Amino acid sequence: MCGIIGYIGYRIALPILLEGLRDQEYRGYDSAGIATWEDGKIDLIRSKGKIADLEKKIGDKKSNATLGIGHTRWATHGRPDDTNAHPHLDCKKELAVVHNGVIENYLELRSDLTAKGHVFTSQTDTEVLPHLIEEYYDQGGDLLNAVYHATEDVDGYYAMAVLSAKDPNRLICARLDNPLIIGIGDGEYFLASDMAALVEYTHQMLILENGDIADITPQGVTVYNKGQKVERKISVIDWDKASAQKGGYEHFMLKEIHEQPWALTQTLNGRISDDGQEIIFKEFDATIKDRLAKIDNIFLVACGTAYHAGLVGRHAIEKLLHLPTQTEVASEFQNRDAIITPRTLAIIISQSGETYDTILAMRKCQQMGAFTLAICNVLDSTIAREADAVLYTYAGPEIAVASTKAYTTQLAVLYMLTFYLGKLMGKISDAELKELIAALAQMPQLAEETISELESKIFQISLGFAPWNDAFFVGRGIDSAVAMEGALKLKEISYIHAEAYAAGELKHGTIALITPDVPVIALCTQSELISKMISNIKELQARKAAVIGVTTRGNQEVEAVCKDTLYIPQTNELLAPILANLPLQMLAYYAAVVKETDVDQPRNLAKSVTVG
Ligand code: M6R
């Protein structure tokens, strides 16, 4: 949510900043801006709209600046327009600040600063930062100290970068609960909210930790925390710019849908023993194993798509481990008096590892003594670092706002974790475990088959689908969790109002909304529930709904009652969600394409929700 970019070194900064903003546009895209330092002055340019609008405004303007910062915004305080766009300046226009996060006490700070004579020009919370830093800078003349004192006055959370007209070779940045990464070059440094914007220049990343303030000059980076100098490790990342580009696909989402077989392979790689008898998590040492062996209840906590992965995970855990298990929306979990003890396992699921509500929920679990295990896609993200243990999904960078490959790999890790715990706790027999692991190992190939077999048929179906304002997704058991993800995917990118229901709930009210030809997607992958699903589909048919069935090959009885049927390959039914989800992603994608919406950057959304 909002993207920061920064550069200090010997190259012309402007093209690097613009490229970095384009790479992070998925984080927020309602306005953007850049501030560069040149000849003792700050040059500021900001624009409402996308990076392309900013570029138009910049035109063929020449710049020789080798120091600058930029920002792409997702508005929280103040509407998206030129004046609320970042960077923001102080009164003397000698300090420029970009900021992600929320300054919770900004009204109080703003009124104190106004009383001291500061003049504000925007409606943002961010603007208090340059004025606050200006106050301290005027007192002591040192930018690092001024930023440090300003952070002490601020309540809330932030990632920020600051430059000063009076400090030609210096970039100061700070983070609290919002990601900020320094790319280490040779005589040059880069700053971004996401590594994807830095990989073009370097693979060496210094990931700032909470409370860190970094002083960056072309000669080096010094990091401070609570006023003390600290050492931070440099992570070397092993993917390149091509992984974060469209690679010939029309949209990132389509590329990411097609990457799922590969992402599954990466995620399973090295985690299945050679004899296929067990799951190996090198991430778990003896202490962790001991703790896991003693758990007696499980919470899965997450937001959005990751929450839906958690719903599937709950079904698998309950079925195989027979432990009390709950899946919770992170933002609500904070308001609950959930029963958490030191024998609770809290599985925290997050693609980005930076979702603010999920971070807060994780910390709550930790305070109450639970063991927290993160399932995360982003290396060394906040959740990955703060959890007691982490299992990474190796999906590669996910750029489209709509999550696809992250969800699928989250499911793969949840299944592996369930199998692992089943063995550890002696709850799954060796024979059953072997069968489940063999089925999971087949998933990359079956996912490939599903995508290639269904894509063109789904495009055809989506043509009839797009004119509709409403759609419904129904399923029973584990399929009802998949239905929820299908509805979210459709609504977020095609803007078709979509709702998911447990199929048995339809006649308790929702069936009143069923009108002739309204699309209903019915998931039917669980053999013991199919006859009940067929009854529900017949009820829908009687109201003339256009039912699209998603079922496993061989289930002809489903085809007999549906307008269209999408077949997925046969597999162990517990794992069917990995495959059943794929046609739903493609249906959402093609409905959005037909409706000509902005698939990768749907309205009002941002990829990483770093505000609560
Ligand atoms: O990065 P996270 O997995 O924590 O993100 C959680 C949700 O914001 C995310 O899954 C969101 O729902 C997606 N846009 C859905 O496609």
Side-chain angles (χ1 to χ4, degrees):
M1 200 150 266
C2 302
I4 286 178
I5 187 78
Y7 177 77
I8 182 164
Y10 53 85
R11 305 192 220 191
I12 307 284
L14 190 59
I16 296 173
L17 299 174
L18 278 171
E19 182 68 14
L21 289 182
R22 277 192 292 269
D23 289 340
Q24 297 182 93
E25 195 169 23
Y26 69 89
R27 298 182 69 87
Y29 32 84
D30 56 44
S31 55
I34 278 176
T36 47
W37 183 99
E38 198 171 355
D39 297 333
K41 283 201 201 90
I42 288 174
D43 193 11
L44 176 73
I45 187 144
R46 302 183 292 190
S47 172
K48 179 180 176 200
K50 296 206 168 194
I51 310 299
D53 298 297
L54 178 69
E55 283 178 284
K56 260 189 229 143
K57 211 162 171 182
I58 292 172
D60 50 13
K61 183 177 162 44
K62 290 275 165 293
S63 165
N64 290 319
T66 55
L67 168 61
I69 52 179
H71 189 265
T72 178
R73 178 171 186 247
W74 183 86
T76 57
H77 296 65
R79 62 183 175 270
D81 63 18
D82 287 13
T83 44
N84 288 329
H86 301 210
H88 287 282
L89 303 181
D90 65 330
C91 297
K92 298 194 270 303
K93 304 197 182 340
E94 289 179 348
L95 291 164
V97 178
V98 288
H99 161 238
N100 294 348
V102 172
I103 307 299
E104 283 164 354
N105 58 341
Y106 83 103
L107 287 173
E108 188 189 320
L109 290 170
R110 189 172 166 131
S111 105
D112 288 354
L113 288 158
T114 305
K116 287 178 181 157
H118 290 262
V119 177
F120 285 79
T121 57
S122 79
Q123 300 154 326
T124 64
D125 54 335
T126 298
E127 201 187 351
V128 298
L129 291 171
H131 292 282
L132 203 50
I133 296 167
E134 179 181 26
E135 269 299 301
Y136 287 114
Y137 200 35
D138 286 351
Q139 288 165 26
D142 180 72
L143 188 59
L144 177 69
N145 266 328
V147 174
Y148 175 63
H149 287 303
T151 60
E152 284 189 318
D153 289 352
V154 156
D155 291 337
Y157 42 99
Y158 51 78
M160 69 170 105
V162 186
L163 61 84
S164 152
K166 293 186 193 154
D167 270 278
N169 283 316
R170 208 170 184 199
L171 188 54
I172 306 289
C173 59
R175 79 151 270 174
L176 188 70
D177 286 339
N178 255 254
L180 202 53
I181 297 138
I182 300 170
I184 312 288
D186 192 5
E188 59 181 349
Y189 294 91
F190 307 82
L191 187 67
S193 306
D194 185 333
M195 291 174 191
L198 306 179
V199 277
E200 185 174 352
Y201 310 103
T202 178
H203 284 217
Q204 300 200 63
M205 308 288 174
L206 187 157
I207 300 166
L208 290 176
E209 295 186 14
N210 264 346
D212 281 356
I213 299 185
D215 186 355
I216 315 174
T217 71
Q219 284 71 46
V221 181
T222 315
V223 183
Y224 301 87
N225 198 298
K226 298 193 179 86
Q228 300 298 313
K229 203 167 148 181
V230 288
E231 292 303 321
R232 294 286 175 238
K233 81 165 191 207
I234 310 284
S235 305
V236 180
I237 58 141
D238 61 2
W239 46 271
D240 56 17
K241 176 98 179 171
S243 332
Q245 285 179 329
K246 284 188 205 159
Y249 285 94
E250 200 181 338
H251 296 102
F252 277 111
M253 184 179 175
L254 187 61
K255 177 185 175 234
E256 289 160 7
I257 287 172
H258 279 270
E259 279 175 343
Q260 292 179 104
W262 167 86
L264 281 166
T265 304
Q266 295 296 108
T267 302
L268 299 178
N269 196 12
R271 285 168 162 170
I272 295 178
S273 65
D274 290 343
D275 59 6
Q277 302 265 19
E278 61 180 320
I279 298 296
I280 303 163
F281 284 136
K282 296 198 183 95
E283 297 86 343
F284 295 166
D285 60 19
T287 322
I288 294 177
K289 281 186 199 164
D290 189 49
R291 185 89 191 259
L292 289 174
K294 292 184 183 131
I295 56 160
D296 61 14
N297 71 93
I298 298 178
F299 281 89
L300 297 115
V301 189
C303 298
T305 288
Y307 166 72
H308 295 152
L311 290 174
V312 173
R314 185 186 69 186
H315 280 273
I317 291 169
E318 283 175 347
K319 189 170 185 66
L320 298 175
L321 305 185
H322 318 293
L323 285 177
T325 306
Q326 295 177 59
T327 303
E328 303 282 339
V329 168
S331 55
E332 277 305 309
F333 185 70
Q334 298 155 46
N335 312 323
R336 294 263 319 278
D337 291 315
I339 312 300
I340 296 174
T341 73
R343 291 171 73 116
T344 299
L345 168 64
I347 302 173
I348 312 295
I349 313 167
S350 174
Q351 185 284 130
S352 62
E354 301 293 349
T355 301
Y356 190 64
D357 281 325
T358 312
I359 294 174
L360 293 189
M362 177 180 70
R363 290 181 186 157
K364 176 173 171 169
C365 292
Q366 286 172 329
Q367 277 156 16
M368 297 176 78
F371 182 80
T372 53
L373 170 57
I375 297 178
C376 240
N377 193 43
V378 177
L379 179 75
D380 284 341
S381 52
T382 303
I383 290 174
R385 264 203 321 250
E386 290 188 16
D388 297 313
V390 57
L391 292 172
Y392 283 108
T393 49
Y394 293 104
E398 191 180 65
I399 309 292
V401 164
S403 185
T404 53
K405 59 180 181 170
Y407 170 80
T408 304
T409 53
Q410 282 160 0
L411 294 188
V413 172
L414 283 164
Y415 285 122
M416 283 191 281
L417 178 61
T418 310
F419 304 164
Y420 179 92
L421 293 174
K423 170 131 181 129
L424 188 71
M425 296 171 174
K427 297 208 175 172
I428 308 181
S429 71
D430 285 351
E432 191 182 6
L433 188 60
K434 195 169 176 188
E435 194 191 313
L436 285 163
I437 291 176
L440 188 60
Q442 272 202 313
M443 281 299 147
Q445 186 207 322
L446 297 185
E448 182 80 62
E449 228 175 279
T450 310
I451 294 168
S452 60
E453 278 178 16
L454 293 181
E455 191 167 6
S456 58
K457 180 166 185 183
I458 288 174
F459 173 68
Q460 291 303 325
I461 292 176
S462 69
L463 292 174
F465 205 90
W468 282 92
N469 292 324
D470 300 289
F472 299 90
F473 290 73
V474 294
R476 283 175 178 261
I478 206 165
D479 280 342
S480 66
V482 180
M484 289 180 74
E485 175 56 9
L488 174 64
K489 214 85 307 168
L490 184 70
K491 67 184 133 187
E492 79 176 316
I493 59 167
S494 74
Y495 314 148
I496 295 171
H497 168 244
E499 295 299 336
Y501 290 95
E505 273 294 291
L506 278 175
K507 50 184 165 292
H508 297 286
T510 313
I511 204 154
L513 297 175
I514 302 297
T515 51
D517 295 329
V518 72
V520 182
I521 291 84
L523 288 130
C524 310
T525 70
Q526 305 295 301
S527 46
E528 62 180 19
L529 298 172
I530 280 194
S531 56
K532 285 192 170 160
M533 277 305 295
I534 288 178
S535 302
N536 294 136
I537 293 172
K538 284 188 174 157
E539 289 156 13
L540 291 160
Q541 251 190 345
R543 275 93 194 160
K544 299 195 168 60
V547 182
I548 302 162
V550 176
T551 192
T552 312
R553 278 182 209 145
N555 289 337
Q556 259 70 28
E557 66 272 41
V558 174
E559 184 166 351
V561 291
C562 290
K563 181 170 177 254
D564 284 298
T565 309
L566 300 168
Y567 283 109
I568 59 166
Q570 280 181 342
T571 180
N572 182 303
E573 287 184 1
L574 189 63
L575 306 185
I578 294 185
L579 303 177
N581 157 64
L582 303 173
L584 308 190
Q585 295 173 348
M586 291 191 277
L587 197 59
Y589 173 76
Y590 283 110
V593 168
V594 172
K595 287 193 72 184
E596 297 182 2
T597 58
D598 191 340
V599 173
D600 284 337
Q601 294 173 354
R603 69 182 177 214
N604 304 338
L605 290 172
K607 180 71 180 164
S608 181
V609 185
T610 52
V611 294

